[in-house]
Amino acid sequence: MTAAEAQAAEAQAAAALADAAPRPYWTDRGTAEGAPDARPALLGAETAELVVVGAGFTGLWVAWRALERDPAASVIVLEAERVAHGATGRNGGFVAASLTHGLTHGTAIWPGQVAALHEEGERNLAELVATIEEAGIDCGLRRSGKTTLAIEPWQLDGLREAHELGARHGVALELQDRDEVRADVHSPTYLGGLRDRTGTVLIDPARLAWGMAAELERRGARIYEASAVTGIDRSGAGVRVRTAGGTVEARGAVVATAAYPAPLKRLGNYIMPLYDHVLMTEPLSPAQQAAIGWAEGQGLTDAGNQFHYYRPTIDGRILFGGWDAVYYFGGRVDARLEQRDASHELLARHFFETFPQLEGLRFTHRWAGPIDSTTRFTAAYGTARGGRVAYAVGHTGLGVGASRFSADVALDLLAGEPTSRLRYDIVRRRPFPIPPEPLRNPIVQYTRRSILAADAHEGRRNLWLRTLDRFGLGFNS
């Protein structure tokens, strides 16, 4: 790209972003569009059988599954902000069957259990979809699947290997050549694709969370917002959960705070908050829609180490996110980090490189949020306070579906029941701890530079990345 072309691309991105609202599209809606009124904060002393800390997908599924196990159980959910405030209301709305961050990763880390985990994940997704439909939650659910795209020649081998691996596990994946994938979605950047029609569904994540919360309240759960938990202490045979405004005495608690500060300090050893950046376009005109095809409306993602994910919405927009996964020294989580001009402008340039025929399209929203990444890209589970508290955090980038599985794991741990789920190493063994600062930041930044270098050199990974691969460690959003 010449200097003049680069300058023109930057100007195009700046113009497209000029009026973008600095907040998540999914939650930037009023009550007429489905957003609930604010719920009250916890005030005074209450009692319950179960307290759930966090009203994202993991916390909501914990409450949901607890009430399915015992409809008469008393359940309280405490949320520091609003339902769907965190990663739940900021993600792309991809709900994947995989519990292992993909079959390739699962095979590398848990070769002896990946087949069972794959079946577990498929069953979890099927039950998740059935639950949403039976509850009548309007969240724009679509069984449109996903296509993984090769945009560099070296990525084609990875698609072929993934296709062969899927076949060994009975997954009907379609390997597409350049002409086939471009006929489906019209982009000059595509060199090949791997179409999965069953392993992913698309949803409106905020509407799903809002719908789940409303249904939980109809079933008797109590949800308090603006109620950040300041501590969890043992109390008799149970626990006392404290907020600034009150307390809850309960038999047990589940912590599901994702990347946000948790009342259990030990979780900081496993969670690495990575800021992921996202754009949402204005609705496309019929001519613009015809220019890109995309008739099946599936989710799309690149096959590189640094990747984009994108998908259409029910109202004709395109969500476009990913690529930059930014770590801030000390694992800082702050609302002021949700707007990063360099990352959003880079995303905008990548968008128009992918779809040059959409020149003139504008973005209405730009946002970011922290992903609770771990060194192995899957959640960390465990108990604290003498087994009275369970936790499930660290869902990285495929947590929307896995959060339901994690809810059952957390409830199993809290009950002390040796269920089949607890036999998996993905549950029994926590991810490798992340070194503390001041070591953490330089390690993360060097890893990030190594990943960028690998993508720029036909996927060739340096000694550092190969060492991380050997131990199942990594850096990813």
Coordinates of all heavy atoms in Angstrom, one line a residue, residues 109-114 117 376 378-381 405 420-431:
I109 N -4.7 -30.3 23.9 CA -4.6 -30.2 25.4 C -5.2 -31.4 26.1 O -4.6 -31.9 27.1 CB -5.2 -28.9 25.9 CG1 -4.7 -27.7 25.1 CG2 -5.0 -28.8 27.4 CD1 -3.3 -27.5 25.2
W110 N -6.3 -31.9 25.6 CA -7.0 -33.0 26.3 C -7.2 -34.2 25.2 O -8.4 -34.5 25.0 CB -8.3 -32.6 26.9 CG -8.1 -31.4 27.9 CD1 -7.7 -31.5 29.1 CD2 -8.4 -30.1 27.6 NE1 -7.6 -30.3 29.7 CE2 -8.0 -29.4 28.8 CE3 -8.8 -29.3 26.5 CZ2 -8.2 -28.0 28.9 CZ3 -9.0 -28.0 26.7 CH2 -8.7 -27.3 27.8
P111 N -6.2 -34.7 24.7 CA -6.4 -35.7 23.6 C -7.3 -36.9 24.0 O -8.0 -37.5 23.2 CB -5.0 -36.1 23.2 CG -4.2 -35.8 24.4 CD -4.8 -34.6 25.0
G112 N -7.1 -37.3 25.3 CA -7.9 -38.5 25.7 C -9.3 -38.2 26.0 O -10.1 -39.2 26.2
Q113 N -9.7 -37.0 26.2 CA -11.0 -36.6 26.6 C -11.8 -35.7 25.6 O -12.9 -35.4 25.8 CB -11.0 -35.9 28.0 CG -10.4 -36.7 29.1 CD -10.4 -36.0 30.4 OE1 -10.7 -34.8 30.5 NE2 -10.2 -36.8 31.5
V114 N -11.1 -35.3 24.5 CA -11.7 -34.4 23.6 C -13.0 -34.9 23.0 O -13.9 -34.1 22.7 CB -10.7 -33.9 22.6 CG1 -10.3 -35.1 21.6 CG2 -11.2 -32.7 21.8
L117 N -15.7 -34.5 25.5 CA -15.9 -33.0 25.7 C -16.7 -32.4 24.5 O -17.5 -31.6 24.6 CB -14.6 -32.3 25.9 CG -14.0 -32.5 27.3 CD1 -12.6 -32.0 27.3 CD2 -14.8 -31.7 28.4
R376 N -5.0 -21.1 29.0 CA -5.3 -22.2 28.1 C -6.6 -22.0 27.4 O -7.1 -22.8 26.7 CB -5.5 -23.5 29.0 CG -6.7 -23.6 29.8 CD -6.8 -24.9 30.6 NE -8.1 -24.9 31.3 CZ -8.4 -25.7 32.3 NH1 -7.4 -26.5 32.8 NH2 -9.5 -25.6 32.9
T378 N -9.6 -21.6 28.3 CA -10.9 -22.2 28.9 C -11.0 -21.8 30.4 O -10.0 -21.3 31.0 CB -10.9 -23.7 28.7 OG1 -9.8 -24.3 29.4 CG2 -10.9 -24.1 27.2
A379 N -12.2 -22.0 30.9 CA -12.5 -21.5 32.3 C -11.7 -22.2 33.4 O -11.2 -23.3 33.2 CB -14.0 -21.7 32.5
A380 N -11.6 -21.5 34.5 CA -11.0 -22.0 35.7 C -12.2 -22.3 36.7 O -13.0 -21.4 36.9 CB -10.0 -21.1 36.3
Y381 N -12.1 -23.4 37.3 CA -13.2 -23.8 38.3 C -12.5 -24.2 39.6 O -11.4 -24.6 39.7 CB -14.0 -25.1 37.8 CG -14.5 -24.9 36.4 CD1 -13.9 -25.5 35.3 CD2 -15.7 -24.2 36.2 CE1 -14.4 -25.5 34.0 CE2 -16.2 -24.1 34.9 CZ -15.6 -24.7 33.8 OH -16.1 -24.6 32.6
F405 N -22.6 -24.7 30.6 CA -21.9 -25.9 31.1 C -21.2 -25.5 32.4 O -21.2 -26.3 33.4 CB -20.9 -26.4 30.1 CG -19.9 -27.4 30.6 CD1 -20.3 -28.8 30.6 CD2 -18.6 -27.1 31.0 CE1 -19.4 -29.8 31.1 CE2 -17.8 -28.1 31.5 CZ -18.2 -29.4 31.5
S420 N -20.5 -36.6 36.5 CA -19.7 -37.0 35.3 C -18.9 -35.7 34.8 O -17.8 -35.9 34.3 CB -20.6 -37.5 34.2 OG -21.5 -36.6 33.8
R421 N -19.5 -34.6 35.0 CA -18.8 -33.3 34.5 C -17.5 -33.1 35.3 O -16.5 -32.6 34.7 CB -19.7 -32.1 34.7 CG -20.8 -31.9 33.6 CD -21.6 -30.7 34.0 NE -22.5 -31.0 35.1 CZ -23.7 -31.5 35.0 NH1 -24.3 -31.8 33.8 NH2 -24.5 -31.7 36.1
L422 N -17.5 -33.5 36.5 CA -16.3 -33.2 37.4 C -15.1 -34.1 37.1 O -14.0 -33.9 37.6 CB -16.7 -33.3 38.8 CG -17.8 -32.3 39.3 CD1 -17.9 -32.4 40.8 CD2 -17.5 -30.9 38.8
R423 N -15.3 -35.1 36.2 CA -14.2 -36.0 35.9 C -13.3 -35.5 34.8 O -12.2 -36.0 34.7 CB -14.8 -37.4 35.5 CG -15.3 -37.4 34.0 CD -15.8 -38.8 33.6 NE -16.1 -38.9 32.2 CZ -17.3 -38.7 31.7 NH1 -18.3 -38.3 32.5 NH2 -17.5 -38.8 30.4
Y424 N -13.7 -34.5 34.1 CA -12.9 -34.0 33.0 C -11.7 -33.1 33.6 O -11.9 -32.4 34.5 CB -13.8 -33.1 32.1 CG -14.9 -33.7 31.4 CD1 -16.2 -33.3 31.6 CD2 -14.6 -34.8 30.5 CE1 -17.2 -34.0 30.9 CE2 -15.7 -35.5 29.9 CZ -17.0 -35.0 30.1 OH -18.0 -35.6 29.4
D425 N -10.6 -33.3 32.9 CA -9.4 -32.5 33.3 C -9.6 -31.0 33.1 O -9.0 -30.2 33.8 CB -8.2 -33.0 32.5 CG -7.7 -34.4 33.0 OD1 -8.1 -34.8 34.1 OD2 -7.0 -35.0 32.2
I426 N -10.5 -30.7 32.2 CA -10.8 -29.2 31.9 C -11.4 -28.6 33.2 O -11.3 -27.4 33.4 CB -11.7 -29.1 30.7 CG1 -11.6 -27.7 30.2 CG2 -13.1 -29.5 31.0 CD1 -12.4 -27.5 28.9
V427 N -12.0 -29.5 34.0 CA -12.6 -29.0 35.3 C -11.7 -29.3 36.4 O -11.5 -28.4 37.3 CB -14.0 -29.7 35.5 CG1 -14.5 -29.4 36.9 CG2 -15.0 -29.4 34.4
R428 N -11.1 -30.5 36.5 CA -10.3 -30.9 37.6 C -9.0 -30.1 37.7 O -8.5 -29.8 38.8 CB -9.9 -32.4 37.5 CG -11.1 -33.3 37.6 CD -10.7 -34.7 37.4 NE -9.6 -35.2 38.2 CZ -8.4 -35.5 37.7 NH1 -8.2 -35.4 36.4 NH2 -7.5 -35.9 38.5
R429 N -8.4 -29.7 36.6 CA -7.1 -29.0 36.6 C -7.3 -27.5 36.1 O -7.8 -27.3 35.1 CB -6.1 -29.7 35.7 CG -5.9 -31.1 36.2 CD -5.0 -31.9 35.2 NE -4.8 -33.3 35.6 CZ -4.1 -34.2 35.0 NH1 -3.5 -33.8 33.8 NH2 -4.0 -35.4 35.4
R430 N -6.9 -26.6 37.0 CA -7.0 -25.2 36.6 C -5.9 -24.8 35.6 O -4.9 -25.5 35.5 CB -6.9 -24.3 37.9 CG -8.2 -24.4 38.7 CD -8.1 -23.5 39.9 NE -7.3 -24.0 40.9 CZ -7.7 -24.8 41.9 NH1 -8.9 -25.2 41.9 NH2 -6.9 -25.3 42.8
P431 N -6.2 -23.7 34.9 CA -5.2 -23.2 33.9 C -3.9 -22.9 34.7 O -3.9 -22.6 35.9 CB -5.8 -22.0 33.3 CG -7.3 -22.2 33.6 CD -7.4 -22.9 34.8

